[in-house]
Amino acid sequence: MKFITLDEVDSTNAEAKRLAEAGQRGPLWVRANYQTAGRGRRGREWVSVSGNLYCSGLYPHNGSANDAAKMSFIAALAVAETLQTYIPEAKVNLKWPNDVLVEGKKISGILLEGGPDWFVVGIGVNLTSHPQDTELSATHMLDHIEPSLLSGPEPIMSGPDAVLAILASRFNFWRDMFLDNGFAPIREAWLNGAHNIPGPVTVRLSNETFSGDALGLDENGALRVRLESGTIRDVHAGDVFFGSQGA
Ligand code: BTN
């Protein structure tokens, strides 16, 4: 696996896309200590102070756009497993479509972008700090590590490079699983980590908000929601709030 480390860049996703447009297909990972124009989902900004992990994987892709979209579930699983190696006692959960929560707070963000025969999976993980005043409350990894463990003979956390090494290897594991066995094992593992499903949910789309019961994922990763009327709606994109949050 090839790793490119930069001190500062506009966005690791933008950098990985430039590499793709210049003919590279990866697999490779770009990591930067600091991003000047970190991007989030739906045109939002991703605040990028140094100390946290900002990285993007570039991979070849010869499947459908639907298959590329499934890579964000793979990334979320890889992030959750990576966090669990550092903070095994903490409650790590997955929130549709691709957020990772620690003790109910957002710790990571995933932004998937694609070309005709490649995709870039951008991953931010809060390690040493998290932004304030976010819509969903946030946290960072260091906050869940016992201070006494940080000064022992074996360092429990050794910076974003070490975290990326584990993350990239878990991403490759689940991507290989997908290439060999399809989405079913990914869907099952993801649902195991998503403890709010089944459960009440409010979905906010660009032009409407509705509530119902989240039942699970369809075979493409859409969130299956049963409305009060009994109608089932498959949600392909949107913001999801559990319980009465965001209603
Ligand atoms: C979200 O809105 O939750 C997704 C945030 C994705 C942020 C990561 S940080 C590394 C990569 N580079 C970017 O500009 N964005 C992604």
Side-chain angles (χ1 to χ4, degrees), residues 11-13 35 38-41 46 54-56 106 109-111 122-124:
S11 146
T12 56
N13 263 39
Q35 299 185 116
R39 307 201 292 241
R41 288 172 58 224
W46 187 257
Y54 310 107
C55 61
S56 300
K106 176 159 164 155
I110 292 165
L111 180 65
I123 305 178

Side-chain angles (χ1 to χ4, degrees), residues 108-158:
S108 160
I110 292 165
L111 180 65
L112 188 74
E113 300 187 81
D117 62 350
W118 52 268
F119 69 86
V120 166
V121 60
I123 305 178
V125 185
N126 300 331
L127 301 179
T128 55
S129 68
H130 65 264
Q132 308 297 321
D133 307 324
T134 43
E135 188 173 34
L136 189 67
S137 54
T139 189
H140 61 270
M141 188 161 90
L142 202 53
D143 231 14
H144 301 270
I145 297 177
E146 266 286 307
S148 63
L149 295 175
L150 292 170
S151 52
E154 292 283 334
I156 190 102
M157 185 174 152
S158 42

Side-chain angles (χ1 to χ4, degrees), residues 72-120:
S72 65
F73 292 92
I74 289 175
L77 271 179
V79 169
E81 288 181 341
T82 302
L83 289 167
Q84 214 74 89
T85 65
Y86 288 94
I87 47 173
E89 307 297 326
K91 196 165 78 154
V92 179
N93 286 119
L94 300 164
K95 174 179 174 288
W96 189 89
N98 51 38
D99 282 333
V100 181
L101 309 181
V102 172
E103 304 295 349
K105 295 180 177 172
K106 176 159 164 155
I107 198 165
S108 160
I110 292 165
L111 180 65
L112 188 74
E113 300 187 81
D117 62 350
W118 52 268
F119 69 86
V120 166

Side-chain angles (χ1 to χ4, degrees), residues 213-228:
D213 277 311
L215 304 176
L217 298 183
D218 80 357
E219 63 284 356
N220 285 316
L223 183 68
R224 187 147 272 186
V225 179
R226 186 176 50 221
L227 309 183
E228 252 173 38

Side-chain angles (χ1 to χ4, degrees), residues 4-74:
I4 299 169
T5 308
L6 305 169
D7 187 36
E8 184 182 301
V9 73
D10 50 354
S11 146
T12 56
N13 263 39
E15 179 66 18
K17 283 171 76 176
R18 285 190 287 267
L19 295 173
E21 275 147 20
Q24 298 205 40
R25 291 292 174 267
L28 63 82
W29 285 85
V30 180
R31 185 186 78 72
N33 291 328
Y34 179 71
Q35 299 185 116
T36 53
R39 307 201 292 241
R41 288 172 58 224
R42 312 176 105 209
R44 295 172 186 135
E45 176 198 15
W46 187 257
V47 176
S48 305
V49 298
S50 77
N52 294 330
L53 175 62
Y54 310 107
C55 61
S56 300
L58 168 63
Y59 284 80
H61 177 68
N62 56 17
S64 63
N66 266 346
D67 278 358
K70 290 168 191 149
M71 295 301 147
S72 65
F73 292 92
I74 289 175

Side-chain angles (χ1 to χ4, degrees), residues 42 203-210 233 235 237-239:
R42 312 176 105 209
V203 178
R204 199 169 67 197
L205 307 181
S206 49
N207 54 351
E208 63 170 323
T209 298
F210 59 87
R233 255 180 98 159
V235 181
D239 283 327

